[in-house]
Amino acid sequence: MSVHLDEKVAPIYQEVLARNPGETEFHQAVREVLESLGPVLSKYPEFRDSKVIERICEPERQIIFRVPWLDDQNRIQVNRAFRVEFSSVLGPYKGGMRFHPSVYLGIIKFLGFEQIFKNSLTGLPIGGGKGGSDFDPKGKSDAEVMRFCQSFMTELYRHLGEHTDVPAGDIGVGARELGYMFGQYKRITNRYESGVLTGKGLNWGGSLVRKEATGYGATFFAQEMLKARGDSLEGKTCVVSGSGNVAIYTIEKVHQFGGKVVACSDSNGVIFHEKGIDLDLLKQLKEVERRRVKDYASYHKDAIFTENGNIWEIPCQVAFPSATQNEVNGKDAAKLVKNGCIAVSEGANMPTTPEGVEIFLEAKIAYGPAKAANAGGVATSALEMQQNASRDSWDFEYTEKRLQDIMMKIHRSAAETAEEFGTPGNLVNGANIAGFIRVAKAMLAMGVI
Ligand code: NDP
């Protein structure tokens, strides 16, 4: 990493490395934010005096627990689960839960750390947290997933509450998993506490647009970045990695804006369909039948599946990384730029490596970092909490308009802050600084906590 760390923050970063050995993704997320904060400490010396950054880098609470469950053969299985409650200075801890075999403390901490600033950027009253488990839902029966979720919630419930900690979904956690978890929470607590989880089903307290929100939000963000450059998504060739919740609804909104998504992927490979991805088919395969993108090619003979292919080699004007962390490396970023990519809007969390980010920034393409571009999901979760608190439900148009307004405000705030701190067009700095300042001011107001 070649970006220089300001001398005021370098020792803080060294301390984070020493105190959190082996948590490489967490180190990466912290460093990326600290790289933006030198000028902020010069402008606000009180943040430095009151050790705001040192405090933010240490989670308020970390919970690690065992999840025992019985598989369909009646064998006992054991997983490890986490909830990292990072910051509650702006509201209850808020952030999703990830079920994926790669999950360990370092992943949950990187996600929780990012979540503090992302949630701050939304302007809504939500703190930052994240959770998950190394459980792999892939290939498990519904009954196994249910038993796992019930066991998971049997421990986690005591740490949750609508005013305390409000989880949602992430990789491997969708409507099915959230349903099982909510049911178990309700059963243990004997409370119908709608506001304790977001991403709920529409007939039991969920919000319209929540399912679509992260993908729609990342697309609204791309549209705002392009608008600022006198351009739009209309007629643009786009590539969206992944084929999960975020990817599917990014594709839907890009198509509504007149763009064409020609490729998507999963961890087995890439599907390229020059005519444009058939979204109804993709939804049927992924949302209903839980199949692989490979199967798409058996329905469209002109679509090409490449096993273990690299989606970033497909020429596009706008890229939406929407699968997982560090999926775009320096080489991929260089390839995208060389192939004429003019905008990148990150649906996934930290999908671009530091080398890749540097290439996008140097090329001066429109680059929307995750904590700004994918904040639509958590923002709509906060709108779900508002509806739950007032025992109301809003219609689709109104909720989508609220989401769009929030994404426009986040873009404006990141762009103006980047300008104010002397790096016009650098939305990485803009988002980090704008998100940080709101949290830091609240921490100062509340004393040493
Ligand atoms: P899903 O589980 O619905 O989909 C994830 C997709 O990414 C799948 O296609 C999956 O492929 C692929 N993927 C996951 N891990 C890997 C990997 N290690 N290598 C290659 N492909 C991988 O998750 P979401 O769509 O909800 O989440 C996608 C990203 O968006 C994550 O980074 C998440 O943190 C972020 N995000 C999600 C939000 C939400 O509201 N859901 C909110 C904000 C951010 P496969 O099926 O083969 O594993």
Side-chain angles (χ1 to χ4, degrees), residues 71 73 182 195 262 431 434 437:
D71 68 17
Q73 283 71 46
F182 186 76
V262 295
I437 288 177

Short mmCIF file of all heavy atoms in Angstrom, two decimals, residues 71 73 182 195 262 431 434 437:
data_model
loop_
_atom_site.label_atom_id
_atom_site.label_comp_id
_atom_site.label_asym_id
_atom_site.label_seq_id
_atom_site.Cartn_x
_atom_site.Cartn_y
_atom_site.Cartn_z
N ASP A 71 -27.74 -32.32 12.42
CA ASP A 71 -28.00 -32.39 10.97
C ASP A 71 -29.08 -33.45 10.71
O ASP A 71 -29.61 -34.06 11.64
CB ASP A 71 -26.71 -32.60 10.18
CG ASP A 71 -26.09 -33.98 10.40
OD1 ASP A 71 -26.79 -34.89 10.90
OD2 ASP A 71 -24.90 -34.14 10.07
N GLN A 73 -28.93 -36.31 9.62
CA GLN A 73 -28.57 -37.69 10.01
C GLN A 73 -28.47 -37.81 11.53
O GLN A 73 -27.93 -38.78 12.05
CB GLN A 73 -27.23 -38.11 9.39
CG GLN A 73 -27.31 -38.48 7.90
CD GLN A 73 -27.54 -37.27 7.02
OE1 GLN A 73 -26.89 -36.24 7.19
NE2 GLN A 73 -28.50 -37.38 6.11
N PHE A 182 -36.23 -14.85 13.68
CA PHE A 182 -37.26 -14.03 14.33
C PHE A 182 -38.22 -14.93 15.12
O PHE A 182 -38.61 -14.61 16.25
CB PHE A 182 -38.03 -13.20 13.28
CG PHE A 182 -39.01 -12.25 13.90
CD1 PHE A 182 -38.57 -11.07 14.50
CD2 PHE A 182 -40.37 -12.53 13.93
CE1 PHE A 182 -39.46 -10.19 15.11
CE2 PHE A 182 -41.26 -11.65 14.54
CZ PHE A 182 -40.81 -10.48 15.11
N GLY A 195 -39.12 -4.63 15.72
CA GLY A 195 -37.92 -3.83 15.46
C GLY A 195 -36.61 -4.49 15.83
O GLY A 195 -35.56 -3.86 15.75
N VAL A 262 -24.39 -7.28 -18.90
CA VAL A 262 -24.05 -8.41 -19.79
C VAL A 262 -23.42 -9.59 -19.05
O VAL A 262 -23.19 -10.64 -19.65
CB VAL A 262 -23.11 -7.97 -20.94
CG1 VAL A 262 -23.82 -6.97 -21.86
CG2 VAL A 262 -21.79 -7.39 -20.40
N ALA A 431 -16.38 10.14 1.82
CA ALA A 431 -17.25 9.26 2.61
C ALA A 431 -16.62 8.98 3.97
O ALA A 431 -17.30 9.02 5.00
CB ALA A 431 -17.49 7.95 1.85
N ALA A 434 -16.81 12.38 6.09
CA ALA A 434 -18.17 12.78 6.46
C ALA A 434 -18.74 11.80 7.49
O ALA A 434 -19.37 12.19 8.47
CB ALA A 434 -19.06 12.85 5.23
N ILE A 437 -16.87 12.29 10.99
CA ILE A 437 -17.11 13.52 11.76
C ILE A 437 -18.41 13.44 12.57
O ILE A 437 -18.47 13.83 13.73
CB ILE A 437 -17.09 14.76 10.84
CG1 ILE A 437 -15.64 15.03 10.40
CG2 ILE A 437 -17.68 15.99 11.53
CD1 ILE A 437 -15.47 16.19 9.43
#
